[in-house]
Amino acid sequence: MMKKLLGLSGFKIGVAITLFMTVLFFFSVLDPQGNYLVMMDKKWVDYIQKERDVQPHSSDVVIVTVDAKSVDKYGRWPWPRSRMAELVAALNDHYKVTTIGFDIVFSEPEQQSGRQAAEILLSKFKKAGIGGGGAEKFKKDITSWMTDMDGDSKFASTIAKRPNTILGFFFNNDPETITHLTEENKKAASGLIQGSEVNWVEGIIPFGAIHEGLYPETNIPKIVKGGHLSGFFNMVPDPEDGMVRRVHLLMRHNNNVYPSLDLQMLRHYFGDAPISVLADENSGIMEIDVGDMPIYPNLDGSILLNYKGPSQTFPHYSIYDVVERTLPVEALEGKLVLVGATETGIYDLRTAPVGAEYPGVEVHATLLDNLITGTYFSFSAANDLLTAVLLLVVGLLLGFILPRLKNIYGTLLTVVLVVVYLAIHRWMVMELLTWTSAFFVVMEILLVWGAITLYQFLVSDRDKRFIKGAFQQYLSPQVIEQLMDNPNLLKLGGERRVMTAFFSDVAGFSSISEVLEPEQLVALLNEYLTEMSNIIMKFGGTVDKYEGDAIIAFFGAPIPYEDHAVRGCLVALEMQHRLKEMRDVWKEQGRPELTMRVGLNTGTMVVGNMGSENRFDYTMMGNAVNLASRLEGANKNYGTHNCMSEMTYEPVKDQIEGREMDLIRVMGISTPVRIYEILSKKGELSESVAQGVSHFEKGLELYRAQQWDKAI
């Protein structure tokens, strides 16, 4: 009733959940603000990156850091710019590095109290009008001291003489923090980064496709002039959890497109190779080329970072060791060197998938490695489309398969499917550097399984529980299993079927019951009924009911069998054989020996649940049933034990040996019925019995020809 009322099925539930999850997936991935569901996918990829071993990575990328050792030796940060000049000189002249990139911005002139004092002294000396050779020499010395004390000039001069230094800057995109700046200030700052743009853009970059840089916080002009190139080092964490999973390679400012620090370093590393951008006005950034090296970013110009390991996966070297030249030359020779800070309290700390405290300078090292080795993650609309296809295929298949499985097998299939899919997803991340959604596919699998399992328990399995409760006493476990797997085989209510009815009774039971105590009688009867019922159920028969010592059964319902008549005959033969064995045991025990009579008839009868609304039985009715009962009683008149009608004999005569006994008319049936004795399986009749059957058939033929003497 509930199933009809709801109009549901396991498959329909699977379809509904599949469509819901597919629509939810598209809404989630198209949400410009991001959401928790999409973040779950990111978290799973984060977990894979964090738990795997350190991955192979480029040996060309190293980090030179403002670390605890350097601060202990040189004092607190910031240091004089002359120290930075010493660093650049050591990296170039001693270690012969290829490219230097500063993840540091020198946005303010150095505070030079010594130079200012020298300037005041020189000014006063001139005002005093002191002359002579000694005075002129003293003025030259003061001027020389001023030059030596100008760290900005010394740093600028050093990087100008060694044109492999890429300066870093960042775009300030908070309007509130630049309200004090005049248009002239902004124009001057923009002018300082001119000349660092990408070489050319092919196509049109759609508005909003890449981030817009509001105001460049650059190095001071003196240092900018000495530097070779400049690149921004902005990082934009994911809005859901602040995790740095991607770095943008391009930003727009004043209608120009500027490359990141990492791109500029590669530009120099590849011999001042040009940077070109291929854009599609309907999509976004399609390709970025640094010389002959193609980069395929996301449409917003970002790269999904493939973190190769935890912090310090890439070599970290102290600035102190570099300046003092205590490192072996081969540690840095020919390398791409990133200069940044890792000392506690001064360094750029980021939250990365591989660690909550990950140095920003190492994020850039990871990006450089990914670009050089081509091992960055690739994710596009094609991934989302493939995920949608997976959701549809997996959901519909589960909706089709799970309702047809037992709960234990459905649960096992679900567990295996989840484990296998997550293993495949991990392989995709590790080997293909891309993935489909883990969260949505796994969640769909679990929801479909859970909903169908609950539905089966509340609705579908209710019929199965009813079947098991109603038939476990009358059917074999195998038959009950078939019915539970396919309840439609059982029409609850009544239907017309051609079946074989079975009736058995114990001969002389009344006399036996008189000589036994009630407890002895019950024990004997239970033993007999158990053995006989087991044989019926062994052959797929249904025990209808027990009436005292009588067993009423039928073959062909609720599971339909074409050979129901044969099964009934085989049951009669095996029951008589088993009863003979039991009589031998009873005889030795001094207990009464039971004999049994069986009647079988095949015909159309009504079978189903019959009774009141509160109490009913699965039973059979009809004239064909009554005839089987009459044939059981007819055995008494003919001195036989197994009797069947001609309707049963016709379909079994090729498999069962039978002896025609008579043509009789029974109460309630107007047409005479030919009856047969069930003797054995075909071909198993003994020679003596076969001769007896042959004589009897001749006698019966003479009897019907009214040749009485010959018949006798």
Side-chain angles (χ1 to χ4, degrees):
M1 174 65 78
M2 186 183 296
K3 188 188 298 184
K4 292 180 179 179
L5 182 64
L6 296 176
L8 292 176
S9 68
F11 179 69
K12 289 179 181 178
I13 291 173
V15 170
I17 293 175
T18 298
L19 294 178
F20 170 75
M21 290 300 295
T22 304
V23 171
L24 181 62
F25 169 72
F26 276 120
F27 272 110
S28 297
V29 298
L30 294 176
D31 185 354
Q33 302 300 320
N35 56 55
Y36 179 79
L37 298 179
V38 173
M39 187 180 71
M40 295 301 294
D41 263 332
K42 296 178 181 179
K43 290 293 187 183
W44 176 245
V45 177
D46 293 347
Y47 174 78
I48 293 173
Q49 292 185 79
K50 186 175 182 179
E51 295 303 315
R52 66 185 179 180
D53 296 331
V54 173
Q55 299 297 294
H57 52 279
S58 173
S59 60
D60 293 336
V61 181
V62 299
I63 299 170
V64 174
T65 73
V66 182
D67 62 352
K69 182 178 182 179
S70 300
V71 171
D72 289 343
K73 296 293 185 179
Y74 293 141
R76 70 176 185 176
W77 179 266
W79 299 326
R81 302 284 161 78
S82 58
R83 188 71 69 198
M84 294 294 100
E86 292 175 350
L87 173 64
V88 172
L91 288 171
N92 280 284
D93 302 342
H94 183 69
Y95 293 103
K96 309 297 183 184
V97 303
T98 301
T99 305
I100 305 169
F102 275 91
D103 186 28
I104 301 170
V105 61
F106 306 99
S107 59
E108 300 292 339
E110 186 177 39
Q111 296 296 319
Q112 301 169 11
S113 57
R115 176 182 171 87
Q116 292 168 355
E119 286 177 345
I120 294 170
L121 180 60
L122 181 60
S123 173
K124 291 184 178 293
F125 201 88
K126 289 179 179 179
K127 286 181 180 179
I130 301 174
E136 291 302 319
K137 182 179 181 301
F138 184 61
K139 284 193 280 186
K140 287 182 180 179
D141 288 342
I142 294 176
T143 304
S144 176
W145 297 341
M146 289 168 56
T147 302
D148 289 341
M149 284 184 260
D150 186 357
D152 289 334
S153 296
K154 184 173 286 189
F155 183 40
S157 174
T158 301
I159 62 178
K161 292 175 183 177
R162 299 165 180 83
N164 66 342
T165 300
I166 312 302
L167 297 171
F169 69 92
F170 67 94
F171 283 108
N172 188 333
N173 294 320
D174 183 1
E176 296 296 325
T177 62
I178 60 172
T179 53
H180 63 285
L181 297 174
T182 66
E183 289 302 318
E184 287 188 4
N185 295 144
K186 296 177 182 177
K187 186 176 180 181
S190 298
L192 290 174
I193 64 172
Q194 286 182 358
S196 294
E197 304 92 338
V198 300
N199 294 83
W200 66 83
V201 176
E202 182 180 341
I204 299 174
I205 301 177
F207 178 77
I210 60 176
H211 285 280
E212 190 78 21
L214 189 59
Y215 173 77
E217 293 279 357
T218 69
N219 298 278
I220 62 174
K222 188 182 294 185
I223 293 177
V224 170
K225 290 177 182 178
H228 184 56
L229 293 167
S230 294
F232 67 85
F233 49 69
N234 293 66
M235 293 183 192
V236 182
D238 281 352
E240 298 94 344
D241 59 357
M243 192 80 73
V244 176
R245 297 185 177 90
R246 65 180 67 213
V247 175
H248 292 80
L249 301 182
L250 303 172
M251 290 186 75
R252 196 199 303 266
H253 176 69
N254 288 351
N255 296 319
N256 292 321
V257 178
Y258 290 89
S260 68
L261 173 67
D262 316 279
L263 275 187
Q264 294 286 45
M265 290 181 69
L266 288 178
R267 182 187 208 174
H268 176 268
Y269 188 68
F270 292 133
D272 284 331
I275 298 177
S276 60
V277 177
L278 175 63
D280 181 275
E281 62 179 330
N282 296 315
S283 301
I285 307 299
M286 308 304 294
E287 184 178 332
I288 301 172
D289 293 307
V290 182
D292 295 330
M293 186 184 78
I295 301 170
Y296 301 100
N298 299 302
L299 295 176
D300 62 353
S302 67
I303 288 293
L304 276 171
L305 294 174
N306 179 9
Y307 286 92
K308 300 300 180 68
S311 177
Q312 300 203 22
T313 293
F314 297 92
H316 286 218
Y317 299 109
S318 171
I319 286 181
Y320 175 80
D321 291 330
V322 175
V323 172
E324 301 301 324
R325 309 189 183 194
T326 60
L327 296 172
V329 172
E330 57 268 20
L332 297 175
E333 188 174 11
K335 307 291 188 182
L336 274 159
V337 177
L338 277 159
V339 180
T342 59
E343 165 64 346
T344 303
I346 64 171
Y347 70 109
D348 179 22
L349 202 62
R350 300 288 177 169
T351 303
V354 292
E357 297 183 357
Y358 196 83
V361 66
E362 197 156 1
V363 174
H364 291 290
T366 299
L367 176 58
L368 283 172
D369 163 82
N370 286 186
L371 296 176
I372 291 171
T373 60
T375 55
Y376 49 87
F377 290 130
S378 177
F379 198 89
S380 67
N383 297 71
D384 293 334
L385 182 60
L386 183 55
T387 295
V389 172
L390 269 175
L391 288 171
L392 290 172
V393 172
V394 171
L396 294 178
L397 280 177
L398 284 177
F400 178 78
I401 294 172
L402 287 178
R404 290 163 171 77
L405 296 178
K406 294 181 180 178
N407 287 339
I408 182 65
Y409 297 125
T411 301
L412 182 62
L413 173 64
T414 300
V415 171
V416 169
L417 194 58
V418 168
V419 171
V420 169
Y421 179 72
L422 290 179
I424 293 173
H425 186 275
R426 186 178 190 277
W427 173 80
M428 292 177 70
V429 173
M430 296 280 287
E431 302 297 331
L432 302 183
L433 303 178
T434 190
W435 59 84
T436 51
S437 171
F439 173 77
F440 280 93
V441 174
V442 170
M443 185 56 61
E444 179 190 64
I445 292 172
L446 296 177
L447 285 176
V448 171
W449 165 79
I452 289 177
T453 300
L454 182 63
Y455 169 77
Q456 288 177 327
F457 177 78
L458 295 177
V459 181
S460 296
D461 284 358
R462 189 185 63 164
D463 291 345
K464 295 180 180 180
R465 291 192 296 272
F466 166 77
I467 290 169
K468 186 173 183 179
F471 294 100
Q472 61 183 348
Q473 302 298 325
Y474 312 109
L475 295 172
S476 68
Q478 294 79 9
V479 174
I480 292 176
E481 286 294 325
Q482 292 183 58
L483 285 175
M484 291 174 66
D485 290 340
N486 187 6
N488 291 328
L489 293 173
L490 179 65
K491 292 186 178 179
L492 304 178
E495 63 172 321
R496 293 174 62 85
R497 280 194 192 180
V498 175
M499 302 191 308
T500 297
F502 173 100
F503 280 77
S504 73
D505 197 8
V506 174
F509 184 74
S510 297
S511 301
I512 294 172
S513 62
E514 291 175 357
V515 299
L516 292 176
E517 295 295 328
E519 294 82 4
Q520 295 175 321
L521 180 64
V522 170
L524 179 66
L525 188 58
N526 285 345
E527 185 177 346
Y528 160 77
L529 292 175
T530 298
E531 291 292 331
M532 300 302 106
S533 299
N534 287 342
I535 294 172
I536 293 172
M537 290 188 284
K538 172 184 172 182
F539 285 89
T542 300
V543 177
D544 186 334
K545 61 177 69 73
Y546 303 106
E547 292 183 351
D549 61 300
I551 302 174
I552 303 171
F554 48 86
F555 299 84
I559 304 296
Y561 299 115
E562 293 294 329
D563 61 342
H564 50 83
V566 175
R567 290 171 183 256
C569 294
L570 293 175
V571 164
L573 292 171
E574 187 163 330
M575 287 172 72
Q576 296 292 358
H577 175 74
R578 177 63 184 137
L579 188 57
K580 181 180 181 301
E581 295 176 340
M582 295 173 71
R583 281 197 298 269
D584 293 340
V585 175
W586 290 334
K587 184 176 182 181
E588 292 178 1
Q589 296 174 346
R591 300 167 72 187
E593 301 173 35
L594 305 182
T595 58
M596 175 182 64
R597 296 188 294 261
V598 173
L600 289 171
N601 180 48
T602 301
T604 301
M605 53 196 77
V606 176
V607 62
N609 286 312
M610 300 176 194
S612 68
E613 291 183 358
N614 298 321
R615 182 178 177 84
F616 52 83
D617 292 314
Y618 189 73
T619 188
M620 57 182 174
M621 296 179 64
N623 283 336
V625 178
N626 297 333
L627 178 57
S629 175
R630 302 289 188 271
L631 295 182
E632 179 273 315
N635 282 292
K636 186 186 300 184
N637 298 325
Y638 292 93
T640 56
H641 295 98
N642 297 324
C643 181
M644 62 179 168
S645 68
E646 60 182 304
M647 287 75 77
T648 301
Y649 178 72
E650 282 301 318
V652 306
K653 61 185 178 182
D654 294 332
Q655 299 180 59
I656 300 295
E657 297 283 3
R659 172 175 71 96
E660 183 180 351
M661 294 161 54
D662 204 350
L663 190 66
I664 65 174
R665 187 188 301 274
V666 297
M667 186 181 301
I669 299 176
S670 58
T671 306
V673 178
R674 201 176 303 273
I675 59 175
Y676 295 80
E677 181 184 10
I678 305 170
L679 298 175
S680 71
K681 295 180 183 178
K682 199 72 173 179
E684 294 184 4
L685 204 60
S686 66
E687 185 177 349
S688 60
V689 174
Q691 289 178 353
V693 170
S694 177
H695 288 311
F696 184 84
E697 289 175 345
K698 290 178 182 178
L700 186 61
E701 181 181 351
L702 293 169
Y703 170 78
R704 288 174 175 161
Q706 299 183 5
Q707 299 182 33
W708 315 118
D709 294 336
K710 291 182 179 181
I712 292 171

